[in-house]
Amino acid sequence: MARKRPEPVQVIKQRRDAVLAALVHGVPYINFLGIEFDRRGDELTAILPYDDKLIGNPMLPAIHGGAISGFLEVAAVIGLGWAVLWDEMERGELDADEIISGHLPRLPKTIDFTVDYLRSGLPRDAYARAKVNRSGRRYASVHVEAWQDNRQRSFAQATGHFLMPQRKPDSDD
Amino acid sequence: MDKVKFAKQFVAALPHCRELGMRLTDIGDGVAVGEMPYDAKLVGDPETGVLHGGAISALMDTCGGAATMSHPRSPAGTATIDLRIDYMRAATPQQTIVARAECYHITRSVAFVRVTAVDDDVDNPVAVATGAFTVEQ
């Protein structure tokens, strides 16, 4: 039996990037902070480009702890939501066009979120990566690390627990 | 200038707080109360219009820091060491969030703070937080 010819790489890339962009830019708060995501395969890096409105203490100056925690939470939720979507996309179960046209899937809900502030956030761009330590049918646990100039020197980290969106029931039940 | 007026002006001078429309309404003796009006730009779930947890955590962090600074045994500034937030329910769209932070214990180096955030349904908190803040000497 002849295998189905794989899709051209540009088609796959374009679809993955469009799904990610729809997911990220559909949330007003993410746009308010100006967060973008860089994708390499399934791996995401969240980027918080520096902006004066992120400053907490203008005397230092340092990024506000609330902006940092918001950034980490966004990185965690999108990282987790993306991991689920990715698996569905790979299994061919996801209608990418529906998402791209604005019918966004429900994102996981934060149950709790604990942030460690390790160093003050400098007035520069910040980056974050989330690691899904456990993702079950109902609950997930995610760890996030954020850094600025030096990947080895995190300036903040967080762990959060999330409630997974319940899948739509199958049409036959 | 008295401490209360200073703290209110201090928070009003923080760009991120100004951007979120935050203001302190009461402060003194290790307690700070702040509010943040509902704003469509801070929505985390576009389908329901519910505010993003990040905006609420920014309010709780700010009030926690202000509570620490207002404590009689806190000499000066502060920074957050850690903050844990439990999101108990979705904030009702269009309603202002009010956070009340209390510095319930302070040593020479660390302030321990609890924060409760509510919307109009004041008996049913939206979120609670506990945090540790530095005490700058």
Side-chain angles (χ1 to χ4, degrees):
Chain A
M1 194 174 82
R3 274 181 60 182
K4 210 176 125 194
R5 223 183 133 71
E7 288 178 297
V9 62
Q10 278 315 322
V11 172
I12 297 177
K13 265 194 184 172
Q14 199 272 331
R15 182 170 60 231
R16 288 171 176 171
D17 288 336
V19 167
L20 178 61
L23 194 66
V24 170
H25 294 135
V27 180
Y29 181 71
I30 298 181
N31 297 328
F32 164 69
L33 287 183
I35 299 169
E36 296 291 344
F37 282 81
D38 181 50
R39 185 186 69 80
R40 295 286 177 257
D42 70 339
E43 185 192 61
L44 298 185
T45 306
I47 302 161
L48 179 69
Y50 175 73
D51 190 294
D52 288 342
K53 76 177 177 200
L54 302 174
I55 286 295
N57 187 337
M59 266 97 83
L60 291 175
I63 297 181
H64 193 285
I68 295 168
S69 113
F71 175 53
L72 289 169
E73 194 177 326
V74 164
V77 173
I78 295 294
L80 179 60
W82 174 251
V84 174
L85 282 185
W86 176 271
D87 290 340
E88 289 178 7
M89 229 172 349
E90 289 299 279
R91 289 197 300 265
E93 293 169 2
L94 190 80
D95 186 349
D97 292 335
E98 198 185 308
I99 293 178
I100 294 163
S101 69
H103 294 276
L104 298 177
R106 302 309 296 262
L107 285 167
K109 284 200 181 103
T110 314
I111 300 168
D112 59 61
F113 203 67
T114 308
V115 185
D116 288 338
Y117 297 95
L118 306 172
R119 297 182 172 81
S120 73
L122 303 169
R124 311 198 182 125
D125 293 358
Y127 313 97
R129 260 182 221 152
K131 183 171 175 285
V132 179
N133 284 323
R134 149 124 185 130
S135 174
R137 225 156 28 86
R138 295 174 69 198
Y139 308 110
S141 176
V142 182
H143 183 77
V144 207
E145 279 178 21
W147 71 97
Q148 293 191 298
D149 298 311
N150 186 340
R151 177 71 178 94
Q152 300 312 312
R153 285 166 59 89
S154 305
F155 79 107
Q157 61 178 2
T159 300
H161 296 94
F162 299 87
L163 196 59
M164 301 306 286
Q166 290 311 299
R167 327 283 338 139
K168 280 180 230 139
D170 292 331
S171 47
D172 60 355
D173 63 26
Chain B
M1 185 169 40
D2 68 287
K3 213 169 172 181
V4 174
K5 204 171 160 198
F6 172 78
K8 285 187 177 180
Q9 284 185 0
F10 180 75
V11 168
L14 308 181
H16 193 62
C17 297
R18 225 171 28 226
E19 201 70 34
L20 293 175
M22 231 181 257
R23 73 191 187 92
L24 274 190
T25 53
D26 195 20
I27 185 162
D29 289 338
V31 173
V33 182
E35 58 180 36
M36 183 178 70
Y38 181 84
D39 191 328
K41 74 183 178 192
L42 305 178
V43 163
D45 182 350
E47 216 156 291
T48 57
V50 169
L51 289 179
H52 195 279
I56 294 170
S57 84
L59 175 67
M60 295 177 99
D61 184 52
T62 302
C63 292
T68 301
M69 290 199 295
S70 81
H71 196 283
R73 282 163 54 201
S74 161
T78 184
T80 318
I81 297 171
D82 88 313
L83 191 72
R84 173 196 161 111
I85 303 183
D86 294 337
Y87 295 104
M88 294 151 75
R89 67 174 173 92
T92 307
Q94 313 301 333
Q95 298 184 358
T96 294
I97 305 294
V98 177
R100 182 185 187 278
E102 183 190 357
C103 173
Y104 62 92
H105 186 73
I106 191 164
T107 72
R108 267 174 303 174
S109 349
V110 189
F112 299 89
V113 177
R114 270 192 286 262
V115 195
T116 306
V118 296
D119 55 19
D120 292 357
D121 182 3
V122 294
D123 296 322
N124 210 353
V126 166
V128 294
T130 49
F133 289 76
T134 64
V135 175
E136 314 278 336
Q137 291 302 332

